[in-house]
Amino acid sequence: RAMAEIAKLPKGKFSYEVRHDPVPGVAEEGIPVRITIDVDPEAGEITVDVRDNMDNVPGGLNLSENTCTGSCRIGVFNNLDDGIPHNEGAKSRIKVLMREGSVVGKPRYPVGTSVATTNVNDRLIIAGNCVFSTMGEPYGQAESGSHLPAGIGVISGKDPFKDGQPYVNQVFIGYAGGGARHGYDGWLTYCGPANGGLIALDSVEVDESMYPIIIESRGVVADTQGIGEFEGAPAVGGVFYPVEHEMTLVYSADGTTFPPRGVLGGGDAKASRSAKRGTDGKLVELPAFHEEACRAGERIEFVACGGGGYGDPTKRDVRRVAASVDRGWLTSEAARQSYKVALVLDAEQGVWVVDQNATARLRAA
């Protein structure tokens, strides 16, 4: 079955490159992740080559041999029919070429691999998803958001309501969205490529009952998605803070420097953002990779990046543009500027409707 699906793909070599954000003390310029696939439809085989990547870095961002091999295959499986079993027979049709001593490959002892399942691994899956888009439509997908924004950081402290009992856990208050693909908009609750939508957002009430924190807000941030014929998921943002104690927050918001890009004419998503609002009301921007002490009266504010867009925005169905505005994911101004769609508010129905004549003029221009 895998051979039959691969036989439908264009023959040739295709390459794509993404870049993980800079990490102070580990990779000051970021970590480029390069992937080349060689598609042989006649043999029903795809070779994934990641040997052209930088050497191991002094930190836990290096992939393990297993995560590198698995994630190279995940990118391929994400672009084949989803009914194909992910078993040894199917995997045998996807060859992986890697080198020892590479950040994307087999690690060389004694380098660290403590976050081999996320971060650079996310970027590898993204590259594997997107490399197929270089074949042209309808192949591939746009870049998605990555893991570990402040909204899914690790919180810790001493609970003032439980006699100072220590607590520590990772919370999932708000996370990244998925990139679009041909025929489909991006997945809002994607989280990251290594999870692919399988991590549920926390219940606000459960988090607040377990930890001495308040989640003040969580929701979609309008106009943050990558535009396109098919639209990336918008970003999710929120505000949370500790109650009557000092909370420590640790996070690594990849996508702050290099946010998700669109493909085949699609637009880029807005970057991830981390900040703290002090007791004086002033907002201070925080680094992308950081540990922050948040005292009583201070608030953490975050935006987790959305996904990139796929295809020419002016080809998007105008009814879908209006639907995005209706649900608050896109403003009418952005619809006009980005999609060349003019909308008017039907006050009686309370919905946005397309001004067909004005839209025709905008798109013709």
Side-chain angles (χ1 to χ4, degrees):
R1 290 181 64 187
M3 292 174 69
E5 287 300 316
I6 293 170
K8 300 175 184 177
L9 297 173
K11 180 181 176 65
K13 289 188 176 183
F14 307 89
S15 299
Y16 198 86
E17 180 176 328
V18 296
R19 184 178 289 263
H20 188 282
D21 281 2
V23 182
V26 177
E28 300 292 344
E29 302 300 320
I31 299 174
V33 177
R34 304 182 183 94
I35 188 170
T36 296
I37 60 171
D38 188 351
V39 181
D40 187 343
E42 290 82 7
E45 184 175 277
I46 293 177
T47 300
V48 183
D49 190 344
V50 292
R51 292 174 295 182
D52 184 23
N53 281 293
M54 64 189 290
D55 291 342
N56 288 138
V57 296
L61 293 168
N62 303 287
L63 299 192
S64 66
E65 183 177 4
N66 191 48
T67 55
C68 180
T69 304
S71 294
C72 284
R73 287 174 171 152
I74 286 172
V76 175
F77 280 131
N78 285 346
N79 283 278
L80 300 180
D81 184 88
D82 61 5
I84 295 175
H86 297 171
N87 59 18
E88 289 302 316
K91 287 193 295 182
S92 72
R93 310 316 303 165
I94 307 169
K95 311 296 185 183
V96 178
L97 304 178
M98 66 179 121
R99 67 179 181 88
E100 185 177 358
S102 173
V103 66
V104 182
K106 184 178 180 180
R108 179 173 290 146
Y109 181 82
V111 300
T113 56
S114 58
V115 287
T117 58
T118 57
N119 293 81
V120 172
N121 190 47
D122 276 338
R123 292 290 186 163
L124 174 58
I125 298 173
I126 291 170
N129 291 338
C130 297
V131 66
F132 286 80
S133 68
T134 63
M135 301 174 179
E137 295 184 13
Y139 302 105
Q141 64 186 64
E143 295 182 18
S144 68
S146 300
H147 264 96
L148 307 180
I152 58 171
V154 173
I155 61 171
S156 61
K158 295 182 178 180
D159 193 332
F161 306 105
K162 298 178 181 177
D163 300 321
Q165 178 179 319
Y167 69 88
V168 57
N169 206 353
Q170 184 178 14
V171 290
F172 286 79
I173 298 171
Y175 47 49
R181 63 185 304 151
H182 191 271
Y184 301 93
D185 290 345
W187 194 344
L188 180 63
T189 54
Y190 187 70
C191 184
N195 293 120
L198 295 179
I199 293 289
L201 277 172
D202 287 357
S203 159
V204 169
E205 290 76 14
V206 170
D207 275 356
E208 292 180 344
S209 69
M210 292 181 66
Y211 310 108
I213 64 172
I214 294 293
I215 300 173
E216 186 176 277
S217 64
R218 170 173 69 191
V220 166
V221 182
D223 300 342
T224 53
Q225 66 269 59
I227 62 168
E229 181 178 5
F230 304 101
E231 198 171 75
V236 170
V239 179
F240 63 102
Y241 58 88
V243 180
E244 297 182 21
H245 77 294
E246 181 178 299
M247 174 189 74
T248 299
L249 172 69
V250 182
Y251 63 90
S252 55
D254 187 28
T256 300
T257 302
F258 302 114
R261 297 175 299 176
V263 298
L264 299 173
D268 300 344
K270 294 293 191 297
S272 186
R273 179 172 167 269
S274 312
K276 183 173 79 171
R277 192 171 297 277
T279 54
D280 58 1
K282 292 182 179 178
L283 192 66
V284 178
E285 299 292 330
L286 299 177
F289 296 80
H290 190 55
E291 176 180 319
E292 181 69 17
C294 186
R295 299 170 180 84
E298 298 177 331
R299 285 166 163 75
I300 297 294
E301 301 187 9
F302 73 91
V303 175
C305 53
Y310 186 107
D312 182 354
T314 61
K315 293 182 179 179
R316 184 165 176 81
D317 186 329
V318 295
R319 294 169 297 180
R320 301 185 77 171
V321 175
S324 289
V325 176
D326 272 331
R327 62 169 61 105
W329 292 10
L330 190 73
T331 61
S332 59
E333 294 82 4
R336 185 181 188 91
Q337 181 177 354
S338 301
Y339 286 114
K340 311 304 177 189
V341 174
L343 300 172
V344 293
L345 182 62
D346 184 329
E348 184 176 336
Q349 299 292 328
V351 297
W352 291 90
V353 295
V354 178
D355 184 330
Q356 298 289 352
N357 291 332
T359 296
R361 289 194 296 270
L362 284 172
R363 290 195 162 183

